[in-house]
mmCIF file of all heavy atoms in Angstrom:
data_model
loop_
_atom_site.group_PDB
_atom_site.id
_atom_site.type_symbol
_atom_site.label_atom_id
_atom_site.label_comp_id
_atom_site.label_asym_id
_atom_site.label_seq_id
_atom_site.Cartn_x
_atom_site.Cartn_y
_atom_site.Cartn_z
ATOM 1 N N ILE A 1 -5.549 -13.354 26.992
ATOM 2 C CA ILE A 1 -6.715 -13.953 26.336
ATOM 3 C C ILE A 1 -7.512 -14.791 27.333
ATOM 4 O O ILE A 1 -8.747 -14.720 27.387
ATOM 5 C CB ILE A 1 -6.272 -14.827 25.140
ATOM 6 C CG1 ILE A 1 -5.556 -13.979 24.076
ATOM 7 C CG2 ILE A 1 -7.460 -15.559 24.536
ATOM 8 C CD1 ILE A 1 -6.377 -12.886 23.475
ATOM 9 N N VAL A 2 -6.820 -15.599 28.127
ATOM 10 C CA VAL A 2 -7.508 -16.433 29.115
ATOM 11 C C VAL A 2 -8.295 -15.557 30.088
ATOM 12 O O VAL A 2 -9.462 -15.840 30.411
ATOM 13 C CB VAL A 2 -6.498 -17.329 29.862
ATOM 14 C CG1 VAL A 2 -7.133 -17.926 31.118
ATOM 15 C CG2 VAL A 2 -5.984 -18.427 28.950
ATOM 16 N N THR A 3 -7.676 -14.470 30.535
ATOM 17 C CA THR A 3 -8.337 -13.595 31.510
ATOM 18 C C THR A 3 -9.443 -12.762 30.878
ATOM 19 O O THR A 3 -10.503 -12.561 31.491
ATOM 20 C CB THR A 3 -7.303 -12.657 32.150
ATOM 21 O OG1 THR A 3 -6.285 -13.436 32.787
ATOM 22 C CG2 THR A 3 -7.954 -11.736 33.169
ATOM 23 N N GLY A 4 -9.205 -12.300 29.655
ATOM 24 C CA GLY A 4 -10.106 -11.328 29.051
ATOM 25 C C GLY A 4 -11.137 -11.872 28.095
ATOM 26 O O GLY A 4 -12.076 -11.156 27.728
ATOM 27 N N ALA A 5 -11.020 -13.131 27.666
ATOM 28 C CA ALA A 5 -11.947 -13.643 26.661
ATOM 29 C C ALA A 5 -12.778 -14.825 27.145
ATOM 30 O O ALA A 5 -13.873 -15.050 26.642
ATOM 31 C CB ALA A 5 -11.183 -14.046 25.386
ATOM 32 N N LEU A 6 -12.267 -15.604 28.092
ATOM 33 C CA LEU A 6 -13.061 -16.684 28.668
ATOM 34 C C LEU A 6 -13.958 -16.119 29.767
ATOM 35 O O LEU A 6 -13.623 -15.114 30.406
ATOM 36 C CB LEU A 6 -12.166 -17.780 29.253
ATOM 37 C CG LEU A 6 -11.675 -18.859 28.284
ATOM 38 C CD1 LEU A 6 -10.711 -18.288 27.257
ATOM 39 C CD2 LEU A 6 -11.030 -20.000 29.048
ATOM 40 N N SER A 7 -15.087 -16.771 29.995
ATOM 41 C CA SER A 7 -15.974 -16.314 31.058
ATOM 42 C C SER A 7 -15.398 -16.676 32.426
ATOM 43 O O SER A 7 -14.564 -17.590 32.553
ATOM 44 C CB SER A 7 -17.365 -16.953 30.908
ATOM 45 O OG SER A 7 -17.309 -18.330 31.210
ATOM 46 N N GLY A 8 -15.851 -15.973 33.444
ATOM 47 C CA GLY A 8 -15.430 -16.306 34.797
ATOM 48 C C GLY A 8 -15.813 -17.726 35.175
ATOM 49 O O GLY A 8 -15.061 -18.427 35.853
ATOM 50 N N ALA A 9 -16.993 -18.176 34.708
ATOM 51 C CA ALA A 9 -17.436 -19.539 34.999
ATOM 52 C C ALA A 9 -16.507 -20.565 34.367
ATOM 53 O O ALA A 9 -16.181 -21.587 34.982
ATOM 54 C CB ALA A 9 -18.864 -19.740 34.496
ATOM 55 N N SER A 10 -16.064 -20.300 33.150
ATOM 56 C CA SER A 10 -15.146 -21.232 32.487
ATOM 57 C C SER A 10 -13.807 -21.277 33.204
ATOM 58 O O SER A 10 -13.236 -22.352 33.412
ATOM 59 C CB SER A 10 -14.941 -20.815 31.025
ATOM 60 O OG SER A 10 -16.124 -20.981 30.263
ATOM 61 N N ARG A 11 -13.308 -20.116 33.592
ATOM 62 C CA ARG A 11 -12.017 -20.091 34.296
ATOM 63 C C ARG A 11 -12.098 -20.829 35.621
ATOM 64 O O ARG A 11 -11.133 -21.466 36.051
ATOM 65 C CB ARG A 11 -11.553 -18.646 34.503
ATOM 66 C CG ARG A 11 -11.212 -17.916 33.212
ATOM 67 C CD ARG A 11 -10.401 -16.648 33.481
ATOM 68 N NE ARG A 11 -11.049 -15.748 34.408
ATOM 69 C CZ ARG A 11 -11.956 -14.828 34.078
ATOM 70 N NH1 ARG A 11 -12.331 -14.703 32.802
ATOM 71 N NH2 ARG A 11 -12.484 -14.028 34.986
ATOM 72 N N ALA A 12 -13.269 -20.750 36.266
ATOM 73 C CA ALA A 12 -13.412 -21.357 37.587
ATOM 74 C C ALA A 12 -13.685 -22.857 37.521
ATOM 75 O O ALA A 12 -13.225 -23.610 38.389
ATOM 76 C CB ALA A 12 -14.543 -20.670 38.350
ATOM 77 N N SER A 13 -14.422 -23.305 36.505
ATOM 78 C CA SER A 13 -14.902 -24.693 36.535
ATOM 79 C C SER A 13 -14.572 -25.512 35.296
ATOM 80 O O SER A 13 -14.957 -26.677 35.215
ATOM 81 C CB SER A 13 -16.422 -24.708 36.735
ATOM 82 O OG SER A 13 -17.071 -24.038 35.660
ATOM 83 N N ASN A 14 -13.864 -24.920 34.350
ATOM 84 C CA ASN A 14 -13.541 -25.647 33.118
ATOM 85 C C ASN A 14 -12.048 -25.506 32.825
ATOM 86 O O ASN A 14 -11.641 -24.851 31.866
ATOM 87 C CB ASN A 14 -14.379 -25.107 31.959
ATOM 88 C CG ASN A 14 -14.309 -25.989 30.724
ATOM 89 O OD1 ASN A 14 -13.505 -26.915 30.657
ATOM 90 N ND2 ASN A 14 -15.145 -25.692 29.731
ATOM 91 N N PRO A 15 -11.193 -26.119 33.654
ATOM 92 C CA PRO A 15 -9.747 -25.956 33.467
ATOM 93 C C PRO A 15 -9.254 -26.480 32.124
ATOM 94 O O PRO A 15 -8.271 -25.971 31.581
ATOM 95 C CB PRO A 15 -9.142 -26.749 34.630
ATOM 96 C CG PRO A 15 -10.226 -27.689 35.065
ATOM 97 C CD PRO A 15 -11.515 -26.966 34.814
ATOM 98 N N ALA A 16 -9.943 -27.467 31.551
ATOM 99 C CA ALA A 16 -9.523 -27.988 30.238
ATOM 100 C C ALA A 16 -9.640 -26.910 29.168
ATOM 101 O O ALA A 16 -8.797 -26.830 28.266
ATOM 102 C CB ALA A 16 -10.364 -29.206 29.865
ATOM 103 N N ALA A 17 -10.674 -26.070 29.269
ATOM 104 C CA ALA A 17 -10.834 -24.979 28.306
ATOM 105 C C ALA A 17 -9.712 -23.959 28.453
ATOM 106 O O ALA A 17 -9.168 -23.452 27.461
ATOM 107 C CB ALA A 17 -12.184 -24.301 28.499
ATOM 108 N N VAL A 18 -9.355 -23.642 29.694
ATOM 109 C CA VAL A 18 -8.261 -22.700 29.947
ATOM 110 C C VAL A 18 -6.964 -23.220 29.351
ATOM 111 O O VAL A 18 -6.238 -22.495 28.648
ATOM 112 C CB VAL A 18 -8.101 -22.462 31.465
ATOM 113 C CG1 VAL A 18 -6.859 -21.622 31.747
ATOM 114 C CG2 VAL A 18 -9.344 -21.785 32.034
ATOM 115 N N VAL A 19 -6.665 -24.490 29.599
ATOM 116 C CA VAL A 19 -5.435 -25.092 29.077
ATOM 117 C C VAL A 19 -5.447 -25.089 27.554
ATOM 118 O O VAL A 19 -4.442 -24.749 26.905
ATOM 119 C CB VAL A 19 -5.276 -26.532 29.611
ATOM 120 C CG1 VAL A 19 -4.142 -27.250 28.898
ATOM 121 C CG2 VAL A 19 -5.022 -26.512 31.115
ATOM 122 N N ALA A 20 -6.579 -25.465 26.953
ATOM 123 C CA ALA A 20 -6.658 -25.551 25.495
ATOM 124 C C ALA A 20 -6.439 -24.196 24.838
ATOM 125 O O ALA A 20 -5.678 -24.078 23.868
ATOM 126 C CB ALA A 20 -8.015 -26.127 25.088
ATOM 127 N N VAL A 21 -7.099 -23.170 25.354
ATOM 128 C CA VAL A 21 -6.972 -21.836 24.754
ATOM 129 C C VAL A 21 -5.552 -21.307 24.922
ATOM 130 O O VAL A 21 -4.946 -20.781 23.981
ATOM 131 C CB VAL A 21 -8.002 -20.869 25.370
ATOM 132 C CG1 VAL A 21 -7.719 -19.433 24.932
ATOM 133 C CG2 VAL A 21 -9.414 -21.279 24.971
ATOM 134 N N ARG A 22 -4.993 -21.483 26.119
ATOM 135 C CA ARG A 22 -3.632 -20.988 26.349
ATOM 136 C C ARG A 22 -2.634 -21.695 25.426
ATOM 137 O O ARG A 22 -1.740 -21.063 24.862
ATOM 138 C CB ARG A 22 -3.230 -21.181 27.810
ATOM 139 C CG ARG A 22 -1.999 -20.377 28.205
ATOM 140 C CD ARG A 22 -1.714 -20.452 29.697
ATOM 141 N NE ARG A 22 -0.706 -19.472 30.057
ATOM 142 C CZ ARG A 22 0.598 -19.637 29.885
ATOM 143 N NH1 ARG A 22 1.053 -20.772 29.353
ATOM 144 N NH2 ARG A 22 1.458 -18.691 30.224
ATOM 145 N N GLU A 23 -2.800 -23.007 25.254
ATOM 146 C CA GLU A 23 -1.894 -23.762 24.398
ATOM 147 C C GLU A 23 -2.032 -23.343 22.937
ATOM 148 O O GLU A 23 -1.027 -23.234 22.218
ATOM 149 C CB GLU A 23 -2.171 -25.266 24.540
ATOM 150 C CG GLU A 23 -1.228 -26.156 23.750
ATOM 151 C CD GLU A 23 0.197 -26.159 24.291
ATOM 152 O OE1 GLU A 23 0.445 -25.580 25.368
ATOM 153 O OE2 GLU A 23 1.065 -26.740 23.621
ATOM 154 N N LEU A 24 -3.250 -23.091 22.490
ATOM 155 C CA LEU A 24 -3.449 -22.629 21.111
ATOM 156 C C LEU A 24 -2.689 -21.329 20.861
ATOM 157 O O LEU A 24 -2.012 -21.180 19.830
ATOM 158 C CB LEU A 24 -4.945 -22.414 20.843
ATOM 159 C CG LEU A 24 -5.767 -23.659 20.533
ATOM 160 C CD1 LEU A 24 -7.254 -23.351 20.656
ATOM 161 C CD2 LEU A 24 -5.454 -24.175 19.126
ATOM 162 N N ILE A 25 -2.811 -20.387 21.781
ATOM 163 C CA ILE A 25 -2.127 -19.096 21.615
ATOM 164 C C ILE A 25 -0.618 -19.283 21.655
ATOM 165 O O ILE A 25 0.120 -18.729 20.825
ATOM 166 C CB ILE A 25 -2.560 -18.099 22.708
ATOM 167 C CG1 ILE A 25 -4.080 -17.896 22.703
ATOM 168 C CG2 ILE A 25 -1.839 -16.761 22.521
ATOM 169 C CD1 ILE A 25 -4.646 -17.320 21.445
ATOM 170 N N MET A 26 -0.131 -20.051 22.600
ATOM 171 C CA MET A 26 1.309 -20.229 22.760
ATOM 172 C C MET A 26 1.959 -20.880 21.546
ATOM 173 O O MET A 26 3.147 -20.670 21.284
ATOM 174 C CB MET A 26 1.578 -21.082 24.007
ATOM 175 C CG MET A 26 1.285 -20.374 25.314
ATOM 176 S SD MET A 26 2.453 -19.038 25.664
ATOM 177 C CE MET A 26 3.961 -19.960 25.924
ATOM 178 N N ARG A 27 1.201 -21.676 20.804
ATOM 179 C CA ARG A 27 1.774 -22.385 19.657
ATOM 180 C C ARG A 27 1.695 -21.596 18.357
ATOM 181 O O ARG A 27 2.128 -22.075 17.301
ATOM 182 C CB ARG A 27 1.086 -23.746 19.490
ATOM 183 C CG ARG A 27 1.513 -24.751 20.550
ATOM 184 C CD ARG A 27 1.055 -26.152 20.237
ATOM 185 N NE ARG A 27 1.581 -27.103 21.217
ATOM 186 C CZ ARG A 27 2.750 -27.711 21.111
ATOM 187 N NH1 ARG A 27 3.543 -27.457 20.072
ATOM 188 N NH2 ARG A 27 3.149 -28.571 22.036
ATOM 189 N N GLN A 28 1.151 -20.388 18.396
ATOM 190 C CA GLN A 28 1.100 -19.568 17.188
ATOM 191 C C GLN A 28 2.491 -19.048 16.817
ATOM 192 O O GLN A 28 3.324 -18.787 17.695
ATOM 193 C CB GLN A 28 0.158 -18.374 17.383
ATOM 194 C CG GLN A 28 -1.284 -18.746 17.647
ATOM 195 C CD GLN A 28 -1.953 -19.459 16.493
ATOM 196 O OE1 GLN A 28 -1.756 -19.112 15.328
ATOM 197 N NE2 GLN A 28 -2.744 -20.472 16.811
ATOM 198 N N GLN A 29 2.713 -18.901 15.526
ATOM 199 C CA GLN A 29 3.944 -18.271 15.056
ATOM 200 C C GLN A 29 3.827 -16.763 15.323
ATOM 201 O O GLN A 29 2.872 -16.134 14.856
ATOM 202 C CB GLN A 29 4.122 -18.532 13.568
ATOM 203 C CG GLN A 29 4.117 -20.017 13.208
ATOM 204 C CD GLN A 29 3.907 -20.247 11.741
ATOM 205 O OE1 GLN A 29 4.846 -20.189 10.944
ATOM 206 N NE2 GLN A 29 2.652 -20.504 11.341
ATOM 207 N N PRO A 30 4.752 -16.169 16.066
ATOM 208 C CA PRO A 30 4.591 -14.767 16.460
ATOM 209 C C PRO A 30 4.333 -13.819 15.290
ATOM 210 O O PRO A 30 3.440 -12.963 15.373
ATOM 211 C CB PRO A 30 5.915 -14.449 17.162
ATOM 212 C CG PRO A 30 6.327 -15.756 17.754
ATOM 213 C CD PRO A 30 5.928 -16.783 16.724
ATOM 214 N N GLU A 31 5.075 -13.951 14.194
ATOM 215 C CA GLU A 31 4.867 -13.040 13.066
ATOM 216 C C GLU A 31 3.523 -13.286 12.405
ATOM 217 O O GLU A 31 2.817 -12.343 12.021
ATOM 218 C CB GLU A 31 6.001 -13.182 12.049
ATOM 219 C CG GLU A 31 5.882 -12.244 10.846
ATOM 220 C CD GLU A 31 5.853 -10.760 11.212
ATOM 221 O OE1 GLU A 31 6.410 -10.386 12.272
ATOM 222 O OE2 GLU A 31 5.278 -9.969 10.440
ATOM 223 N N GLY A 32 3.139 -14.553 12.276
ATOM 224 C CA GLY A 32 1.830 -14.853 11.703
ATOM 225 C C GLY A 32 0.710 -14.324 12.570
ATOM 226 O O GLY A 32 -0.286 -13.778 12.067
ATOM 227 N N TYR A 33 0.857 -14.469 13.886
ATOM 228 C CA TYR A 33 -0.150 -13.959 14.807
ATOM 229 C C TYR A 33 -0.220 -12.434 14.715
ATOM 230 O O TYR A 33 -1.312 -11.848 14.692
ATOM 231 C CB TYR A 33 0.172 -14.398 16.232
ATOM 232 C CG TYR A 33 -0.879 -14.014 17.239
ATOM 233 C CD1 TYR A 33 -1.996 -14.814 17.446
ATOM 234 C CD2 TYR A 33 -0.755 -12.848 17.991
ATOM 235 C CE1 TYR A 33 -2.971 -14.459 18.366
ATOM 236 C CE2 TYR A 33 -1.724 -12.485 18.908
ATOM 237 C CZ TYR A 33 -2.829 -13.299 19.096
ATOM 238 O OH TYR A 33 -3.800 -12.924 20.006
ATOM 239 N N ALA A 34 0.942 -11.789 14.650
ATOM 240 C CA ALA A 34 0.975 -10.332 14.556
ATOM 241 C C ALA A 34 0.258 -9.846 13.296
ATOM 242 O O ALA A 34 -0.549 -8.908 13.340
ATOM 243 C CB ALA A 34 2.416 -9.837 14.568
#
């Protein structure tokens, strides 16, 4: 998701956005996410 959904500019200059999105995904319940 971080690689494929955030813009290149965000990945390069907005590390807080990268951390926030990754943490949101990681905290999902796998079955609920599925």
Side-chain angles (χ1 to χ4, degrees):
I1 298 299
V2 165
T3 301
L6 275 67
S7 70
S10 292
R11 294 196 305 274
S13 61
N14 192 351
V18 173
V19 170
V21 170
R22 195 173 191 280
E23 183 69 7
L24 280 165
I25 303 298
M26 289 291 293
R27 286 191 175 272
Q28 298 296 320
Q29 304 164 83
E31 181 59 27
Y33 185 85

